[in-house]
């Protein structure tokens, strides 16, 4: 078995690899990568990032966003989200965005991975998985980026926040909201209590 074939035996369909990971199996990694990309065994996702495509009955399966981000960051410590998730909160957001946001501790800026743009944002704290409470806080943090009518959305958030007024939501605000969002949340709760009292 030659060196190229030996390298191929270590590649698993559906996996994303960084160049340095493949160096352990090849002494001529750049030449081998060029050949593997040209022959379709690997696909280049971005500088130094490669995908071994998985096959399905309808063709090749694209890499999972989580796999791309994990390999790019060399870490599992991130939270991948999108403004589309706000639509599940019942606050009047209906727009669909071709936008992926990655909260993490290592990178900041917009990067294209596998033909998709990811907005990497450095954040001191974020949960290990998405929760409804975090999404409410995230919406308040990013309300100025939304295409919908801001005041209408905030009015609906006020109603929903009052209904959800619980320990989990308050904790999420305390942990993840920016200063402006914290003030917004306090005002919304006051408005909601006045509305419901009336």
């Amino acid at each position: 078995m030659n060196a190229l074939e030996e390298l191929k035996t270590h590649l698993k369909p559906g996996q994303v690899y960084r160049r340095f990971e493949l160096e352990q199996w090849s002494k001529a990694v750049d030449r081998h990568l060029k050949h593997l990309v040209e022959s379709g065994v690997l696909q280049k996702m971005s500088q130094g990032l490669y995908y071994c495509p998985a096959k399905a009955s309808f063709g090749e399966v694209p890499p999972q966003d989580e796999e791309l981000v994990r390999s790019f960051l060399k870490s599992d410590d991130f939270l991948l989200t999108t403004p589309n998730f706000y639509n599940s909160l019942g606050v009047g957001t209906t727009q669909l965005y071709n936008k992926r946001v990655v909260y993490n501790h290592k990178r900041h800026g917009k990067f294209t991975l596998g033909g998709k743009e990811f907005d990497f944002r450095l954040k001191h704290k974020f949960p290990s998985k998405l929760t409804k409470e975090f999404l409410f806080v995230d919406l308040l943090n990013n309300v100025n980026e939304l295409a919908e009518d801001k005041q209408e959305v905030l009015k609906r958030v006020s109603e929903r926040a009052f209904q959800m007024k619980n320990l989990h939501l308050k904790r999420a605000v305390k942990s993840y909201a920016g200063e402006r969002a914290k003030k917004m949340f306090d005002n919304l709760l006051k408005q909601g209590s006045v509305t419901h009292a009336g």
Side-chain angles (χ1 to χ4, degrees), residues 80-86 97-101 130 135 138:
L80 179 62
T81 185
T82 166
N84 297 332
F85 292 155
Y86 302 150
Y97 299 82
N98 184 23
K99 185 173 186 178
R100 298 162 189 82
V101 177
L130 281 174
L135 281 174
D138 198 50

Side-chain angles (χ1 to χ4, degrees), residues 64-107:
Q64 295 287 319
D65 289 350
E66 288 83 0
E67 279 298 311
L68 285 170
V69 172
R70 187 175 291 113
S71 292
F72 180 71
L73 289 175
K74 294 184 274 185
S75 170
D76 288 311
D77 192 9
F78 64 86
L79 183 69
L80 179 62
T81 185
T82 166
N84 297 332
F85 292 155
Y86 302 150
N87 298 349
S88 67
L89 296 175
V91 294
T93 57
T94 56
Q95 293 282 335
L96 291 176
Y97 299 82
N98 184 23
K99 185 173 186 178
R100 298 162 189 82
V101 177
V102 184
Y103 294 122
N104 74 104
H105 301 299
K106 298 176 82 172
R107 304 297 291 265

Side-chain angles (χ1 to χ4, degrees), residues 24-195:
Q24 62 186 307
W25 301 308
S26 170
K27 291 178 180 175
V29 69
D30 291 319
R31 179 161 53 82
H32 287 157
L33 280 171
K34 186 171 184 290
H35 182 87
L36 291 170
V37 169
E38 286 173 353
S39 61
V41 175
L42 289 178
Q43 294 173 3
K44 189 170 183 176
M45 298 287 104
S46 72
Q47 190 62 38
L49 203 63
Y50 298 85
Y51 172 60
C52 182
K55 303 282 196 288
S57 55
F58 53 83
E60 291 182 350
V61 180
Q64 295 287 319
D65 289 350
E66 288 83 0
E67 279 298 311
L68 285 170
V69 172
R70 187 175 291 113
S71 292
F72 180 71
L73 289 175
K74 294 184 274 185
S75 170
D76 288 311
D77 192 9
F78 64 86
L79 183 69
L80 179 62
T81 185
T82 166
N84 297 332
F85 292 155
Y86 302 150
N87 298 349
S88 67
L89 296 175
V91 294
T93 57
T94 56
Q95 293 282 335
L96 291 176
Y97 299 82
N98 184 23
K99 185 173 186 178
R100 298 162 189 82
V101 177
V102 184
Y103 294 122
N104 74 104
H105 301 299
K106 298 176 82 172
R107 304 297 291 265
H108 184 79
K110 293 180 179 176
F111 297 88
T112 300
L113 308 174
K116 304 173 187 176
E117 186 174 90
F118 293 82
D119 186 355
F120 286 79
R121 298 183 185 182
L122 287 171
K123 201 169 180 71
H124 179 57
K125 285 176 76 177
F126 48 84
S128 57
K129 61 181 181 179
L130 281 174
T131 63
K132 183 179 280 192
E133 289 82 9
F134 176 78
L135 281 174
F136 264 100
V137 174
D138 198 50
L139 185 151
L140 286 180
N141 282 336
N142 299 301
V143 69
N144 290 330
E145 297 178 20
L146 299 180
E148 286 88 357
D149 183 299
K150 177 182 169 182
Q151 295 310 317
E152 190 60 35
V153 169
L154 289 176
K155 181 183 168 191
R156 300 269 191 99
V157 168
S158 170
E159 294 166 1
R160 295 286 288 124
F162 189 82
Q163 294 163 12
M164 283 178 67
K165 193 163 63 170
N166 59 40
L167 197 57
H168 293 302
L169 184 55
K170 285 185 175 177
R171 276 184 186 158
V173 170
K174 187 177 179 183
S175 296
Y176 309 121
E179 287 308 312
R180 192 184 46 156
K182 281 179 181 171
K183 286 177 187 170
M184 226 183 286
F185 181 76
D186 288 340
N187 289 335
L188 290 175
L189 276 188
K190 284 174 193 166
Q191 289 170 25
S193 56
V194 168
T195 303

